[in-house]
Amino acid sequence: MAGEREREVYNINRVLAGWEVEAFEPSFHLCCKDETSSSRHAILLACLLWTIIRNTSTLTIRCNPYDKQALLNFKHRLSDPSHILSSWSTQHDCCQWKGVTCHNITSRVTQLTLPCSTTLPSYRDRVDKSHCLTGSIYLSLLLLELQFITYLNLRNNDFLAIQFHYSLHSQDSHNNLSVATTPLPPQSLNFATLRHLDLSHNENLAINSLQWLSNMSSLEFLDLSYIDLYKETNWLQLVTTLHSLSTLFMQSCELQDMSSSLQYANFTALEVLDLSANEFNSELPKWLFNLNCSITGLDFSSSSLEGPVPKALSNFRQLEFLDLADNNLDGPLPYCLGEFQVLQLLNLGINMFSGSIPTNLGNLSSLTYLDVSSNHLSGMVSEENFVKLSKLKTLWIYSSPPLIFDFDSHWIPPFQLEELGISFAGPNIPVWLYTQISIEGLHIEESSFETNGKFWNFVSRMTSELSLRGNSIDGNLTNVLLNATVIRLSSTGLKGSLPRLSPNVVIVDLSNNSLSGDISPLLCDQKILNEKTSLVYLDISMNHLSGGLTNCWKNWKSVVHVNLGSNNLIGHIPTSMGLLSNLTSLHLHQNKLYGEIPSSLQNCHSTDL
């Protein structure tokens, strides 16, 4: 019985691989006596399902030995410093190994998912990848040996090279070895099963040629973001050979030429295209607007684009997100955008667009993210610009000089924002701002205004980021509680004593203001010190602060950077500063401090006294 079941599984594998089947085992033919029907393929499938069901109670399918050896070969070719692949043992079924997915019926390996998990760095640290997989990716060997793989994800590791050697490998099951045999020419290889390939965020990986992509005729998803492709000048022609490709991410790949004068690019299934953070130094390419496919997402942000947006943009009525931010695009904002009814994200910020904001943008009822900030826009903004934006969650609408707001004082927006970036003319804060009870991040730029208790109570509810830097603010911070994770209030002219900080605060910059008094309200608040604090970055330099350095530093052990320079602080440097075990940068210059520097500060690598 065991031999019969193995032969049936073998036949199932052949059918799923699309091979011709001339004869099945006798048990299968019991179901398939009538082969004269015109629906032979339907009968074949039905018989296949019958066979699977018949064996469900008796057949236990384990990892295919060829696939198991292929995975072990992959493991041996790379470096695994933190033993991520420790579960890859010959003593266990490889379908249970970390990152391995097998087919529910055949148990052939279909997916390999091994992205590296890293934590976001602090304000000055780099991402730590010392625990990630590294070495070379022998891609051709892996795909040759895993004949049924459809999904490969090696994202965010630290691979240093990609090898595409065209050698056929055979398996020696007796000696458990993979033996290289006859080299194969590139054109004879076909990795048609692979549909998803993600090698992105391997920042130390450089690829000189993408010629191997032509062997992946069924590829639907490709992400090469943050891989150096500087030497591959023919990238566009190569990716257009992938006729099934629907999603292409090539962000920050050092690309410089996207053939902007080319009239047509042979994308036939493309839906999402991300070429952001490259150095094209050209206009938007002509081929982009002649694509014979339904584009739903475009990202060309930070790609050194210039010139106006062609009117042919109106061809993309199915766009769900469009990001052209941080370029040198000019001319008016495209009026046709107001007719893109399924558009959810529109980012045109940090460009050179001029003129007014089209009022028909207020008709985009699906929009959740709108950014037209940092352009040369002018004119008036009123309720009409937002009339149907009920789903809007993020709005960036500041410019210099500020736009003129003409809102009714009783207007209540149709949206509840989570993040707002705004600038406005005049001393009064827009009244509708206080209706935003869900807001977590507030950024006010290039404005001059007065504050009162209502405003500070409002901003104390910010939990993500509060940025008011660079404004001219007539306000007092005394007894104000700030709760945002990131607080940027530098160069605003704020007065009073230092505010209080919640344990949630990680970065706070209050530099270059007119704050006075001692630093105790900020550092010695007992209500705060009873909880674990998260502060990493503290800058209160260039103010009028006085008094001693306080002895409350022992409660702020998470601090990495402290800048108290250019104040009127006096006295000794307290020994409790030496308890700041994470401190790497301390600035106490231009004060009236005296005495010896505590030896406990010897581990501080960057000190400015």
Side-chain angles (χ1 to χ4, degrees), residues 367-386:
L367 205 62
T368 62
Y369 186 107
L370 174 61
D371 186 348
V372 293
S373 64
S374 296
N375 281 287
H376 301 316
L377 301 175
S378 59
M380 227 171 248
V381 179
S382 67
E383 299 95 315
E384 193 175 359
N385 293 94
F386 306 99

Side-chain angles (χ1 to χ4, degrees), residues 426-447:
N428 298 319
I429 296 169
V431 177
W432 62 263
L433 179 63
Y434 296 113
T435 68
Q436 301 303 294
I437 59 176
S438 299
I439 197 165
E440 300 174 357
L442 176 64
H443 312 253
I444 299 179
E445 305 276 346
E446 302 288 339
S447 299

Side-chain angles (χ1 to χ4, degrees), residues 123 484-487 501-509 522-523 528 532-540 553 555-562 580 582-583:
Y123 79 101
T485 300
V486 178
I487 299 168
L501 303 179
S502 82
N504 184 54
V505 177
V506 174
I507 295 174
V508 58
D509 184 355
L522 186 144
L523 295 173
I528 303 302
K532 184 178 180 180
T533 60
S534 304
L535 192 66
V536 169
Y537 182 103
L538 173 65
D539 189 344
I540 52 178
W553 293 100
N555 301 301
W556 301 88
K557 294 182 180 179
S558 59
V559 170
V560 172
H561 172 96
V562 174
L580 302 178
N582 294 310
L583 191 66

Side-chain angles (χ1 to χ4, degrees), residues 542-591:
M542 293 186 285
N543 278 286
H544 307 304
L545 301 171
S546 57
L549 287 181
T550 180
N551 208 29
C552 298
W553 293 100
K554 61 183 179 180
N555 301 301
W556 301 88
K557 294 182 180 179
S558 59
V559 170
V560 172
H561 172 96
V562 174
N563 190 346
L564 309 179
S566 300
N567 280 288
N568 296 312
L569 301 172
I570 61 173
H572 295 272
I573 300 174
T575 56
S576 63
M577 272 193 159
L579 300 176
L580 302 178
S581 56
N582 294 310
L583 191 66
T584 62
S585 179
L586 174 62
H587 302 268
L588 302 174
H589 58 282
Q590 293 184 331
N591 282 288

Side-chain angles (χ1 to χ4, degrees), residues 104-330:
N104 289 336
I105 298 171
T106 68
S107 281
R108 297 304 297 262
V109 173
T110 59
Q111 296 188 21
L112 184 56
T113 308
L114 294 171
C116 185
S117 177
T118 53
T119 57
L120 291 175
S122 69
Y123 79 101
R124 65 183 297 173
D125 293 335
R126 299 184 64 182
V127 175
D128 181 11
K129 289 193 174 183
S130 60
H131 61 289
C132 299
L133 299 175
T134 186
S136 295
I137 308 172
Y138 289 84
L139 190 58
S140 61
L141 299 182
L142 179 65
L143 297 180
L144 278 170
E145 294 171 339
L146 294 177
Q147 299 175 10
F148 297 92
I149 190 168
T150 63
Y151 187 104
L152 178 59
N153 181 356
L154 301 176
R155 177 185 179 91
N156 199 41
N157 281 285
D158 193 26
F159 288 109
L160 307 176
I162 183 169
Q163 305 292 339
F164 212 84
H165 296 158
Y166 304 103
S167 299
L168 180 64
H169 274 55
S170 63
Q171 301 291 340
D172 181 348
S173 57
H174 296 289
N175 297 314
N176 202 29
L177 295 174
S178 178
V179 182
T181 58
T182 308
L184 294 175
Q187 62 271 19
S188 69
L189 297 176
N190 185 9
F191 306 121
T193 61
L194 193 66
R195 290 176 171 82
H196 182 111
L197 177 60
D198 190 345
L199 303 177
S200 64
H201 292 268
N202 283 276
E203 289 86 355
N204 293 317
L205 177 59
I207 300 178
N208 296 338
S209 172
L210 294 176
Q211 189 65 45
W212 44 270
L213 284 176
S214 59
N215 303 111
M216 302 176 183
S217 56
S218 298
L219 206 60
E220 298 172 0
F221 178 100
L222 177 62
D223 193 346
L224 301 177
S225 298
Y226 291 92
I227 293 176
D228 186 354
L229 299 176
Y230 175 79
K231 293 185 178 180
E232 177 52 272
T233 59
N234 202 36
W235 65 270
L236 179 60
Q237 288 71 22
L238 291 169
V239 295
T240 55
T241 64
L242 304 173
H243 299 305
S244 298
L245 193 65
S246 63
T247 303
L248 175 60
F249 292 106
M250 299 182 76
Q251 177 188 5
S252 193
C253 288
E254 307 288 339
L255 302 175
Q256 295 188 357
D257 182 11
M258 63 173 169
S259 304
S260 58
S261 61
L262 184 69
Q263 291 293 328
Y264 297 96
N266 196 27
F267 289 112
T268 56
L270 196 63
E271 296 178 3
V272 177
L273 176 62
D274 184 348
L275 297 177
S276 60
N278 288 291
E279 295 294 331
F280 294 126
N281 294 297
S282 67
E283 297 181 345
L284 283 162
K286 292 181 172 61
W287 56 261
L288 177 64
F289 302 100
N290 292 322
L291 292 177
N292 187 25
C293 47
S294 298
I295 298 292
T296 60
L298 286 175
D299 190 346
F300 280 84
S301 60
S302 305
S303 291
S304 300
L305 297 175
E306 54 194 35
V309 177
K311 293 181 180 179
L313 179 67
S314 61
N315 296 336
F316 295 150
R317 298 300 176 93
Q318 300 304 310
L319 271 179
E320 297 177 8
F321 70 86
L322 175 63
D323 193 343
L324 300 176
D326 192 19
N327 285 293
N328 294 309
L329 298 171
D330 55 28

Side-chain angles (χ1 to χ4, degrees), residues 1-2 5 8 51-61:
M1 289 295 294
R5 288 196 298 270
E8 288 175 350
T51 304
I52 294 169
I53 294 170
R54 186 175 71 84
N55 288 280
T56 300
S57 60
T58 59
L59 180 61
T60 301
I61 304 175

